């Protein structure tokens, strides 16, 4: 917990929430990027904002949710796509994931092959 007005430091697992959960046993006190950025519905919640940074400088993709680059983590981190999360979480099953065919799953998770 933090004193009033105090913010946490950036987590060393900033981009990989699964790695963070493993390393800190789901009790991380460091900052992470909010997956929804400027479109976050919790951006006015004080507790949420003590744990998450809301990137508001992303451009808006002209193709929105119909974009053909929705699975590209770099593109998603650069451009907002309406109601979809800006940041893709690394799927813990990676290339072996059996849900890769599910569009809803692919729109929330990335499946790095490396």
């Amino acid at each position: 917990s933090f004193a009033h007005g105090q913010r946490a430091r950036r987590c060393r697992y900033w981009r990989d929430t699964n790695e963070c959960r493993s390393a800190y046993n789901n009790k991380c006190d460091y900052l992470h990027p909010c997956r929804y950025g400027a479109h976050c519905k919790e951006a006015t919640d004080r507790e949420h904002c003590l744990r998450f940074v809301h990137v508001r400088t992303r451009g808006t993709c002209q193709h929105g949710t119909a974009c053909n680059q929705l699975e590209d983590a770099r593109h998603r981190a650069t451009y907002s796509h309406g109601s979809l999360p800006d940041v893709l979480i690394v799927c813990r099953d990676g290339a072996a994931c059996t849900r890769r065919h599910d569009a809803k799953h692919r729109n929330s998770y990335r499946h790095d092959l490396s």
Side-chain angles (χ1 to χ4, degrees):
S1 297
F2 305 100
H4 179 68
Q6 183 181 6
R7 287 184 57 103
R9 294 185 324 244
R10 185 170 141 165
C11 180
R12 68 182 176 150
Y13 302 108
W14 174 259
R15 291 282 179 204
D16 189 344
T17 55
N18 286 330
E19 192 68 32
C20 176
R21 286 184 189 120
S22 295
Y24 293 110
N25 197 25
N26 289 324
K27 297 178 182 173
C28 182
D29 284 332
Y30 299 102
L31 286 172
H32 294 92
C34 176
R35 296 184 63 211
Y36 294 94
H39 301 288
C40 178
K41 293 178 181 168
E42 296 182 75
T44 58
D45 180 270
R46 183 181 181 281
E47 290 300 314
H48 176 76
C49 291
L50 285 173
R51 300 279 184 254
F52 297 96
V53 174
H54 296 85
V55 177
R56 300 179 192 284
T57 57
R58 285 186 180 95
T60 300
C61 178
Q62 65 182 359
H63 305 292
T65 57
C67 178
N68 64 2
Q69 296 183 65
L70 291 177
E71 294 180 42
D72 180 336
R74 186 167 298 203
H75 178 76
R76 289 284 290 274
T78 305
Y79 300 100
S80 288
H81 294 82
S83 61
L84 296 177
D86 293 339
V87 178
L88 295 175
I89 296 173
V90 176
C91 177
R92 65 184 73 218
D93 298 321
C97 179
T98 59
R99 296 181 60 199
R100 289 185 73 182
H101 68 281
D102 177 7
K104 186 175 180 180
H105 179 76
R106 285 193 323 266
N107 284 335
S108 294
Y109 297 91
R110 68 183 215 230
H111 299 84
D112 297 336
L113 301 175
S114 54

